[in-house]
Amino acid sequence: MGRLIKASTIINAVSKACIESACILDKIAYNSIKDSIDKEKNATARYVLEELISNADIAEREYIPICQDTGMVICFVECGLKINLEEPISDSINKGIKKGFEDGVLRKSIVNDPFERINTNDNTPGIVYIEQTTGNILKINLMLKGFGSENMSFIKMLNPSLSQDDVVEIISNEICNKAFNACPPVFIGIGIGGSMDYASVLSKKALLRPVNKKNIDKTYADMEEKILQSVNRSNIGPAGYTGNTTVLSVSIESYPTHIAALPVAVTMQCHALRHREIIL
Amino acid sequence: MIEINTPFTKNSLISLKPFDRVLITGVIYIARDQAHKKMFEEGLPFNPEGQCIYHCGPSDAKKNMIIGSAGPTSSYRMNKYMPYLFDKGIKAFIGKGMISDSVIENMKKNKCVYFGAIGGLGAKLSMCIKKQKIIAYESLGTEALREIYVEKFPAIVIINCDGESIYERDNNKYE
């Protein structure tokens, strides 16, 4: 019993999502860059933001990558109980990545081992997180994560007695230290709670939320706004060339945690926000 | 907008100030992490006199195109190797982000310039690249050393040859 989804269906969908997201900037992200031009008073910053829009237009027209770093592929899978598969989902996803990076002429950026460093030449493996859900839907949220910004991401195991304002200050400070190298203006995903590893996963999941949507919990929505305002007062600006547009959005996701812990993880995402949702 | 040509002479860079926007025309050399390590360990496979290095790892060219997307990569990862390159005669590099004080000190000594290209502008910048060929380390793929010819490649002076910088303000402080 259940609904069969063929491996080839998943492979083709993943391949298409890799190519599309590499070459066509997420529309909400595109608009958020465009809207920031009008709010920016700094001439250099306006020039950079206009260039980013022009770059996205060229990438879409020529169907070439927005940025040469087409990233490591990270997938969040929600698999319904009633779904039947022909092979483990991560096998199909990796075949889809291989096909997409080949067909789309995307850059192969993955090496086999952190020290041996031999290119796998097909951009696999990706990273796959699987959650089981009720129902008969298979959902894959796919992101191409560039590593200029990933290298600027961080995790802190904070003291549980800190207030929300304390955490806002600590995170904002650290983001200001890192933003220069993360290709600003950036999107920021924050995971608070859980464990050291899970806070990091949440910080990635936070980036899947549409960038114009605040956290539904007002407390977290307030923190998002305070971090945004705080970092945008830093005068780092687009490309780090000064200006008020350092961060385009902040998204927080939270989870229950241990009495001794306050894990906070921050994923820095460059302005080339590349993700697609696949529903099968 | 200031138009400059490679290879650079001492005088062609000396008057540049932070925030100056330039258009670069001529031959430049694409290299990133592994190619820098190789050049450092094995010596430079081209004449570095007055030349310019571009910190970049392009994506492959689609059919009938010269090169794929080709924006800058973070320059701080090449900190260790830059003083060696400047001592050998390299006059400038194109990249993005912060670099270390020791690199800046060497740039002042050798009168070198750090040009910024906008991070994430790979599609647009690739349109300025008119020729490309791999000149060494082909097995490194995207990390191979490439000689490219650029026409009116847009960049901004991040650090000039006196060590004056866009980043000089205390950026890490915020209210």
Side-chain angles (χ1 to χ4, degrees):
Chain A
M1 292 286 280
R3 185 166 73 93
L4 176 73
I5 299 179
K6 286 188 164 180
S8 59
T9 307
I10 299 168
I11 293 167
N12 287 331
V14 167
S15 164
K16 184 166 171 264
C18 287
I19 300 170
E20 276 185 12
S21 58
C23 302
I24 305 172
L25 185 60
D26 175 274
K27 280 298 162 235
I28 301 174
Y30 182 95
N31 289 333
S32 108
I33 296 170
K34 207 161 189 180
D35 293 345
S36 71
I37 298 173
D38 295 332
K39 294 178 208 147
E40 187 55 80
K41 307 249 183 319
N42 180 312
T44 308
R46 289 172 66 94
Y47 157 71
V48 174
L49 295 167
E50 280 161 5
E51 286 286 271
L52 296 182
I53 290 297
S54 160
N55 183 67
D57 292 341
I58 290 170
E60 185 166 347
R61 188 184 72 221
E62 303 288 333
Y63 221 54
I64 56 175
I66 300 158
C67 172
Q68 70 287 344
D69 182 2
T70 44
M72 191 168 199
V73 181
I74 302 173
C75 291
F76 289 90
V77 177
E78 291 172 32
C79 187
L81 278 173
K82 291 176 184 162
I83 296 290
N84 294 335
L85 300 171
E86 293 178 320
E87 62 182 10
I89 184 87
S90 49
D91 290 1
S92 303
I93 287 174
N94 278 318
K95 288 174 190 168
I97 293 169
K98 182 180 161 82
K99 180 173 160 51
F101 275 67
E102 198 54 52
D103 293 355
V105 200
L106 311 184
R107 195 181 78 182
K108 286 86 174 175
S109 308
I110 306 304
V111 289
N112 67 326
D113 176 271
F115 294 104
E116 207 176 9
R117 305 199 81 82
I118 297 168
N119 201 301
T120 62
N121 280 324
D122 59 10
N123 217 59
T124 69
I127 294 169
V128 182
Y129 297 105
I130 302 166
E131 274 177 42
Q132 202 159 42
T133 55
T134 55
N136 66 348
I137 295 288
L138 176 69
K139 197 192 276 186
I140 302 171
N141 263 300
L142 174 146
M143 63 166 80
L144 306 188
K145 186 64 180 74
F147 266 51
S149 58
E150 187 68 3
N151 277 339
M152 296 298 117
S153 299
F154 57 92
I155 171 124
K156 288 182 181 292
M157 301 303 282
L158 298 175
N159 190 316
S161 59
L162 291 178
S163 70
Q164 284 160 338
D165 282 346
D166 293 335
V167 173
V168 164
E169 190 182 338
I170 291 167
I171 297 177
S172 302
N173 263 324
E174 193 64 13
I175 293 170
C176 288
N177 289 334
K178 307 270 194 178
F180 285 97
N181 292 329
C183 287
V186 292
F187 300 98
I188 291 174
I190 303 176
I192 304 181
S195 51
M196 184 272 285
D197 54 318
Y198 199 61
S200 303
V201 175
L202 286 176
S203 73
K204 288 281 183 308
K205 276 186 117 168
L207 289 169
L208 299 175
R209 195 198 308 157
V211 296
N212 53 359
K213 290 261 189 313
K214 291 273 152 205
N215 192 303
I216 47 170
D217 181 325
K218 192 178 175 303
T219 319
Y220 288 114
D222 283 349
M223 286 179 78
E224 291 170 350
E225 187 59 27
K226 281 180 184 169
I227 294 166
L228 180 91
Q229 298 295 339
S230 175
V231 179
N232 280 341
R233 282 196 297 271
S234 65
N235 198 29
I236 292 169
Y241 302 164
T242 68
N244 301 322
T245 317
T246 307
V247 176
L248 291 164
S249 85
V250 178
S251 305
I252 297 176
E253 291 294 327
S254 63
Y255 195 76
T257 190
H258 189 277
I259 47 172
L262 177 51
V264 179
V266 176
T267 291
M268 304 285 271
Q269 168 64 58
C270 63
H271 52 78
L273 180 67
R274 290 157 294 178
H275 64 71
R276 286 292 183 277
E277 186 177 64
I278 299 165
I279 296 174
L280 297 171
Chain B
M1 199 73 80
I2 303 162
E3 298 210 17
I4 50 176
N5 295 288
T6 64
F8 298 126
T9 59
K10 206 172 181 180
N11 290 336
S12 59
L13 300 179
I14 208 105
S15 59
L16 294 174
K17 295 285 174 206
F19 291 105
D20 279 351
R21 274 157 59 183
V22 299
L23 294 171
I24 302 169
T25 296
V27 166
I28 60 176
Y29 294 87
I30 284 187
R32 52 174 291 155
D33 307 62
Q34 295 297 320
H36 278 76
K37 195 175 173 206
K38 288 258 191 201
M39 288 191 283
F40 184 70
E41 288 169 354
E42 300 168 10
L44 276 74
F46 62 94
N47 177 6
E49 199 54 48
Q51 297 296 353
C52 179
I53 300 265
Y54 179 22
H55 293 154
C56 168
S59 61
D60 285 339
K62 282 172 73 170
K63 217 175 172 182
N64 303 323
M65 294 187 103
I66 295 160
I67 199 165
S69 190
T73 194
S74 298
S75 294
Y76 73 90
R77 294 197 313 274
M78 275 59 83
N79 278 340
K80 181 181 169 188
Y81 309 115
M82 298 316 292
Y84 166 80
L85 296 175
F86 298 141
D87 286 345
K88 288 286 177 192
I90 296 289
K91 266 284 166 257
F93 70 103
I94 305 169
K96 74 174 178 82
M98 295 279 203
I99 55 169
S100 70
D101 289 346
S102 59
V103 176
I104 298 170
E105 282 311 307
N106 188 288
M107 287 171 62
K108 282 156 73 175
K109 183 185 86 179
N110 282 308
K111 295 286 171 198
C112 299
V113 172
Y114 172 15
F115 293 108
I118 297 171
L121 207 69
K124 184 160 193 179
L125 292 172
S126 75
M127 301 292 150
C128 307
I129 300 174
K130 304 301 178 188
K131 289 182 207 162
Q132 73 127 343
K133 65 177 178 196
I134 292 177
I135 58 166
Y137 328 133
E138 189 160 7
S139 64
L140 294 176
T142 184
E143 295 207 64
L145 180 66
R146 287 175 166 81
E147 182 186 292
I148 64 171
Y149 182 84
V150 293
E151 270 176 20
K152 299 192 174 179
F153 184 99
I156 188 165
V157 177
I158 292 185
I159 301 175
N160 72 359
C161 51
D162 297 319
E164 295 168 340
S165 168
I166 279 184
Y167 300 145
E168 219 152 58
R169 313 157 343 285
D170 197 356
N171 277 310
N172 296 345
K173 288 268 162 52
Y174 75 103
E175 323 292 77

